[in-house]
Amino acid sequence: MANLKLQGRTRAQESSSAIERMYITMRHLFNRGFYKPMGVSGDTLREGLLTLRPEIYGSVAEEKVELDGLLYVIDRLPIGIEECRYINLTSEEGYKNSHFKAIVPPKRRRNCYRIDAEQMNIEITRGRSEIYDILTHLTFLFIESHKIMNRVVINEEGNVTRDWDKLENAVTSKKDLTKAEREVALTHTANILGRTFEEVTSIYGSFSCPENKERFLHIIYWLGKLAIDESVNENKRIVTFSPVLRERLGHHIHGEIWANSIKNKLEQLNLLDRPIHIISANMHSVMNTLYAPIALKTELKNKTTFDIYELLSEGKNDKLRAKVEKLASQKGMTYLEDESGTNINVQIFDTSKYADGEYETLVSKLKKEDKPVIIVMDYAFGEQAYETMDELLKPYVKPDERKYLNVKSVSLMGKAGILEGGKGDIMIPSAHVFEGTADNYPFDNGLKKDDLEGQGIDIYDGAMITVLGTSLQNRDILKFFHDSTWNVIGLEMEGAHYQKAIQSASKLRGSISSEVKVRYAYYASDNPLETGSTLASGGLGTTGVKPTYLITEKILEQIFKDN
């Protein structure tokens, strides 16, 4: 018998194992109710993150402080969190009715409240994925803070370097820094971070905010200060989970309220009996596609519709966007701002009131009772996609009756990471595969590669991974999925969760027709296999405009033709 050699694990296997350990640990810590991120209880999370070395966190495993990853994380956590020793994850527990002012991170819709100088409360209303997201970001933040501490503390008594003293003087100064004083402070900060003066100068402005122009220096100082206090004086930082959050999580409380508000509005508008088409997308692409050509006829002279879409996507063009929104509201759009805590706003389009636009010919051929009602829901976050879609597809229950919705199609126009190609390319999935398991959801996608070709954008089709969190992806795992027989073309966070809800409603519960059509398409926001092309490298700019509207136009065209 041939000798069998034990082979060492590949980086992909090590990384996969690290992700699994991190998620098991996070669930355990949640059930426990608290943990110390830099104590024994946080060891597994730190070790897992350093083994994994996610692309988004760059040089987290090196001695130098990671700047792009720090900016990515800071944009997704509340302003001031670097000053807080106690971080409390709560459910929605009434803080919005208090004197506490809600702090909403620039790149994540979540309400946070600064309770006092030492405590930050973060409301969790979007399920476990949001907890995973926050805990991985906090783990990264605390690892980086201890790097700063290790570079400035010179003995066990807690004495610090001259660089640290100079940074402290700059941060605690009551007067605005001059350019010369700022550059002196950045010189000392560069030494502390193990970075060049050029590197810290180039990223300094990205951290600035209206409330604090010197926020970069402020963040570095407070991260280091708390880490020094933790190391020298044993004042550990603590993350806690409120009892109400632990009790409520997984019970669809927010999703049920959210879905019922939509169904109530449909009843008020007398739309419950009409064919319904659900689209998960942003809050502008469907509205602009339907109404911008009508509202902006003057502006469209000598311009293509895609030129107008680009103008509408620019921050300075508030008046143009207001003009489109005003017309849409007059011609069949109803906007529902979320009050449930899901942070998912909704638009309802009654196409029987739609006229004069590019789809008017298709709509006019239909009887009024057959004209589609389009529900556009803003993006869910990870597992929240299952909660919201599961609740939305359930029958509308009233004291005296149970009314089934006539859901004809569910579409998803999203952004995702691509494994072959680049930013702005389009992916058409044929299946969703859950990361870390062999669970898979093949489906017949109503959108085909042929539908979108010929527009100067590369189109890819194949399976897509639904990942547990974008912040935990690393090159080795992604390369394995891309190169293996899984034929994976990209990664995203909601697809399998949506598909699970759609299949249970249509195939098992009978809440909606088993003939419901599904349409999925994503445009690439980043390519995590390419250095410098991860989410931490910055946004899409106008690169995402054309694929976004190309997908939206095709979805609308199929809705009107297939109805």
Side-chain angles (χ1 to χ4, degrees):
M1 184 175 177
N3 288 329
L4 296 175
K5 289 185 179 179
L6 286 174
Q7 295 183 339
R9 294 193 304 170
T10 66
R11 273 287 300 148
Q13 289 169 326
E14 287 177 357
S15 301
S16 182
S17 177
I19 289 177
E20 186 177 5
R21 285 199 312 276
M22 288 185 73
Y23 277 97
I24 290 170
T25 302
M26 284 190 272
R27 286 205 170 199
H28 162 70
L29 295 174
F30 174 74
N31 290 330
R32 179 186 176 194
F34 74 96
Y35 79 105
K36 297 174 182 176
M38 299 309 292
V40 175
S41 52
D43 274 349
T44 307
L45 290 186
R46 298 197 308 274
E47 288 169 7
L49 201 65
L50 293 172
T51 299
L52 194 57
R53 299 196 294 276
E55 300 306 307
I56 218 160
Y57 293 149
S59 57
V60 64
E62 299 174 24
E63 283 188 20
K64 60 185 179 182
V65 172
E66 166 59 29
L67 297 180
D68 287 330
L70 181 61
L71 178 61
Y72 180 86
V73 166
I74 284 295
D75 277 347
R76 286 155 180 79
L77 293 173
I79 289 174
I81 196 165
E82 69 278 359
E83 301 174 16
C84 296
R85 191 184 315 283
Y86 303 100
I87 297 166
N88 185 26
L89 274 55
T90 74
S91 179
E92 190 178 25
E93 299 176 20
Y95 289 104
K96 66 182 179 183
N97 301 319
S98 69
H99 78 279
F100 297 113
K101 184 181 177 183
I103 307 168
V104 180
K107 299 288 179 72
R108 279 283 186 269
R109 295 190 306 270
R110 54 172 70 109
N111 290 332
C112 310
Y113 300 92
R114 184 74 177 264
I115 304 303
D116 54 36
E118 291 189 307
Q119 181 176 334
M120 181 73 75
N121 280 16
I122 303 176
E123 272 188 3
I124 304 296
T125 58
R126 310 179 82 175
R128 288 190 182 89
S129 294
E130 190 168 21
I131 294 175
Y132 302 154
D133 186 59
I134 290 168
L135 294 190
T136 49
H137 288 338
L138 290 176
T139 302
F140 165 81
L141 205 60
F142 295 152
I143 288 172
E144 296 301 304
S145 75
H146 273 242
K147 285 187 195 176
I148 297 169
M149 181 272 296
N150 288 330
R151 295 182 72 92
V152 300
V153 174
I154 54 180
N155 56 33
E156 291 182 0
E157 285 73 44
N159 293 326
V160 293
T161 63
R162 177 173 176 271
D163 288 319
W164 182 257
D165 287 333
K166 295 295 183 182
L167 173 61
E168 185 171 43
N169 290 339
V171 170
T172 55
S173 171
K174 299 247 173 114
K175 60 186 177 76
D176 292 341
L177 298 181
T178 64
K179 184 183 179 186
E181 289 170 335
R182 182 179 304 115
E183 290 187 348
V184 169
L186 288 173
T187 299
H188 293 294
T189 304
N191 288 338
I192 292 168
L193 302 180
R195 292 286 184 172
T196 66
F197 176 75
E198 183 180 19
E199 286 174 317
V200 296
T201 305
S202 62
I203 203 164
Y204 154 84
S206 302
F207 284 85
S208 296
C209 62
E211 300 85 359
N212 187 359
K213 200 192 297 186
E214 311 298 342
R215 190 167 171 235
F216 175 67
L217 300 176
H218 188 95
I219 288 167
I220 300 302
Y221 171 72
W222 277 98
L223 286 177
K225 181 179 170 63
L226 291 190
I228 292 168
D229 198 27
E230 191 162 24
S231 177
V232 176
N233 302 318
E234 290 293 314
N235 287 327
K236 299 288 186 185
R237 283 170 284 192
I238 299 175
V239 175
T240 55
F241 308 90
S242 80
V244 177
L245 174 65
R246 291 158 65 200
E247 178 187 315
R248 286 180 177 176
L249 195 72
H251 293 298
H252 290 202
I253 290 169
H254 299 287
E256 184 178 9
I257 297 168
W258 174 82
N260 284 341
S261 71
I262 296 170
K263 293 165 192 173
N264 289 337
K265 180 58 71 173
L266 289 172
E267 184 182 44
Q268 288 173 26
L269 297 171
N270 200 26
L271 300 176
L272 273 175
D273 294 316
R274 296 257 295 279
I276 291 171
H277 298 263
I278 300 166
I279 304 176
S280 172
N282 52 53
M283 287 284 98
H284 54 78
S285 55
V286 173
M287 178 179 69
N288 289 345
T289 302
L290 288 173
Y291 298 102
I294 313 170
L296 304 176
K297 282 181 180 176
T298 307
E299 290 80 0
L300 267 170
K301 285 179 182 175
N302 305 318
K303 286 187 174 71
T304 67
T305 50
F306 282 110
D307 290 335
I308 287 295
Y309 296 148
E310 283 201 7
L311 283 174
L312 288 167
S313 71
E314 293 174 6
K316 61 185 180 183
N317 291 323
D318 289 337
K319 289 183 180 177
L320 289 182
R321 285 191 291 274
K323 197 172 178 181
V324 175
E325 192 169 342
K326 183 179 178 182
L327 181 79
S329 300
Q330 293 169 349
K331 300 280 187 179
M333 184 188 84
T334 302
Y335 178 68
L336 293 181
E337 186 168 358
D338 178 62
E339 295 179 352
S340 68
T342 60
N343 282 308
I344 299 177
N345 299 323
V346 170
Q347 295 162 328
I348 298 171
F349 295 90
D350 176 2
T351 62
S352 69
K353 298 178 180 178
Y354 179 78
D356 303 326
E358 295 192 13
Y359 301 93
E360 193 270 335
T361 307
L362 293 173
V363 177
S364 62
K365 293 178 181 178
L366 301 170
K367 297 177 183 176
K368 182 175 179 180
E369 61 269 23
D370 293 330
K371 290 185 177 180
V373 173
I374 300 172
I375 298 173
V376 178
M377 57 182 283
D378 209 344
Y379 296 119
F381 188 75
E383 287 185 22
Q384 187 191 35
Y386 175 75
E387 174 180 340
T388 49
M389 188 61 71
D390 184 56
E391 292 297 331
L392 185 55
L393 297 180
K394 286 179 180 177
Y396 179 45
V397 179
K398 296 168 64 179
D400 53 342
E401 68 173 320
R402 175 189 293 256
K403 196 163 189 66
Y404 290 86
L405 303 184
N406 183 16
V407 177
K408 293 287 191 179
S409 74
V410 182
S411 304
L412 172 59
M413 189 286 293
K415 60 181 177 180
I418 195 167
L419 301 184
E420 183 179 343
K423 289 186 178 185
D425 291 344
I426 290 176
M427 292 159 278
I428 308 289
S430 55
H432 287 108
V433 181
F434 263 130
E435 178 187 44
T437 72
D439 295 354
N440 54 83
Y441 295 85
F443 56 90
D444 181 18
N445 195 340
L447 289 172
K448 306 296 181 190
K449 191 175 179 179
D450 295 347
D451 295 329
L452 297 160
E453 287 185 321
Q455 300 294 327
I457 295 175
D458 290 337
I459 316 290
Y460 299 88
D461 58 1
M464 292 190 72
I465 309 176
T466 296
V467 298
L468 297 163
T470 53
S471 57
L472 288 184
Q473 297 318 300
N474 82 334
R475 187 183 304 271
D476 302 291
I477 292 180
L478 299 178
K479 198 167 187 314
F480 164 76
F481 275 116
H482 180 252
D483 295 345
S484 71
T485 53
W486 281 105
N487 186 30
V488 167
I489 57 170
L491 60 147
E492 49 77 54
M493 282 186 67
E494 291 81 31
H497 299 294
Y498 278 132
Q499 196 57 29
K500 184 166 69 168
I502 295 165
Q503 285 185 197
S504 64
S506 61
K507 310 292 185 188
L508 296 176
R509 294 177 172 179
S511 304
I512 61 173
S513 168
S514 60
E515 302 300 313
V516 64
K517 292 186 176 171
V518 292
R519 303 180 181 94
Y520 289 88
Y522 301 87
Y523 64 91
S525 58
D526 63 301
N527 184 334
L529 289 180
E530 288 183 7
T531 302
S533 295
T534 68
L535 283 171
S537 65
L540 273 164
T542 57
T543 311
V545 172
K546 187 171 182 180
T548 296
Y549 284 96
L550 191 59
I551 294 167
T552 306
E553 286 177 355
K554 189 53 63 175
I555 288 172
L556 289 173
E557 182 184 312
Q558 290 194 6
I559 285 173
F560 292 130
K561 283 184 177 177
D562 297 345
N563 211 65

